[in-house]
Amino acid sequence: MTYKIRCNFSTKKAEWNKLVNKNMGIFKIAVGTTSETKLKYLKEVLKELEIKAKLFPVSVQSGVTEQPKTTEETERGSINRAARAAEKVEGEDFAIGVEIGYHRNKNAEYEMFCWVTIIDKDGYQISSQSHKFLLPKYYQEVLDSNLFVNEHLDGFIKNKKKISRAEKQIDNIVRHRKPFIENALKNA
């Protein structure tokens, strides 16, 4: 049996606590990624939430395009990653899938965000979306040209004589995606 809950930024921690309170001690968590960066952020959030866990990262396919360009496709990628991680790790308490994506807002401008899905061993599922971030013109042009953002990260500040503090911060946010991943994890 699968229970599905679709959460958004304003979701309370009650649903997360339902998952956490089902178990005592150290959780065995299957994670649908081998990205050291994503795993680092996940560990930081678990520590902040005072959840003890052993992570089992596994390489899985998201089942969506390499650079999702809709909210629905990005959410589907996180669900697929969590479900496929659960299939690969025996005896997991729950599985987590993380997917970064982009979509056009009502003004046809691209925004960046993250979806996280958590599925427990009984099939109870929570999916949560992070806040959205309107991308600067440079990244709008990258996405409009059907190029991959992660292959064009250096172009945002390259050849600029003076880089503002805001530009440095934007570069860091888009490059490392930390705020999106942490936000979606905390809201799941």
Side-chain angles (χ1 to χ4, degrees):
M1 181 174 280
T2 300
Y3 304 92
K4 294 183 182 180
I5 295 178
R6 189 169 185 213
C7 305
N8 61 28
F9 182 71
S10 62
T11 302
K12 296 179 183 176
K13 289 186 179 180
E15 297 305 325
W16 171 257
N17 289 335
K18 283 182 187 178
L19 284 176
V20 173
N21 291 332
K22 283 185 174 185
N23 296 298
M24 301 289 284
I26 299 176
F27 292 98
K28 182 176 183 180
I29 302 176
V31 185
T33 186
T34 56
S35 163
E36 290 299 322
T37 303
K38 289 179 183 178
L39 294 168
K40 176 185 171 195
Y41 301 154
L42 175 57
K43 289 174 187 175
E44 289 173 6
V45 170
L46 291 172
K47 183 177 180 180
E48 183 179 327
L49 296 173
E50 299 178 1
I51 297 170
K52 295 178 182 172
K54 180 165 171 102
L55 302 181
F56 293 84
V58 291
S59 179
V60 296
Q61 295 296 315
S62 67
V64 299
T65 61
E66 191 174 334
Q67 183 169 267
K69 287 190 181 176
T70 67
T71 299
E72 297 78 18
E73 184 182 20
T74 307
E75 179 184 17
R76 171 61 37 211
S78 75
I79 293 167
N80 290 346
R81 286 183 182 279
R84 291 171 179 167
E87 292 171 359
K88 285 189 164 189
V89 178
E90 193 173 319
E92 86 290 350
D93 292 304
F94 48 94
I96 298 177
V98 177
E99 191 74 21
I100 298 289
Y102 311 88
H103 83 121
R104 289 188 187 271
N105 62 19
K106 63 182 179 181
N107 298 321
E109 297 173 306
Y110 280 106
E111 296 175 318
M112 183 179 192
F113 55 91
C114 177
W115 272 95
V116 166
T117 296
I118 302 171
I119 303 173
D120 80 356
K121 60 186 168 194
D122 297 322
Y124 185 83
Q125 175 183 311
I126 296 173
S127 291
S128 178
Q129 183 182 26
S130 72
H131 61 286
K132 296 175 182 169
F133 177 72
L134 180 62
L135 292 167
K137 182 181 177 185
Y138 170 78
Y139 293 111
Q140 299 290 333
E141 292 169 356
V142 167
L143 289 164
D144 282 337
S145 299
N146 289 318
L147 300 172
F148 291 101
V149 169
N150 64 347
E151 294 175 2
H152 292 84
L153 293 169
D154 293 333
F156 178 63
I157 57 175
K158 189 176 183 178
N159 299 325
K160 288 189 177 185
K161 292 180 181 179
K162 187 173 182 182
I163 302 166
S164 72
R165 185 174 175 193
E167 288 171 323
K168 286 179 186 176
Q169 188 157 3
I170 290 168
D171 179 65
N172 188 48
I173 289 169
V174 174
R175 184 178 300 274
H176 301 290
R177 304 162 179 171
K178 183 177 183 175
F180 308 106
I181 295 169
E182 285 183 339
N183 184 253
L185 282 165
K186 289 177 182 178
N187 286 302

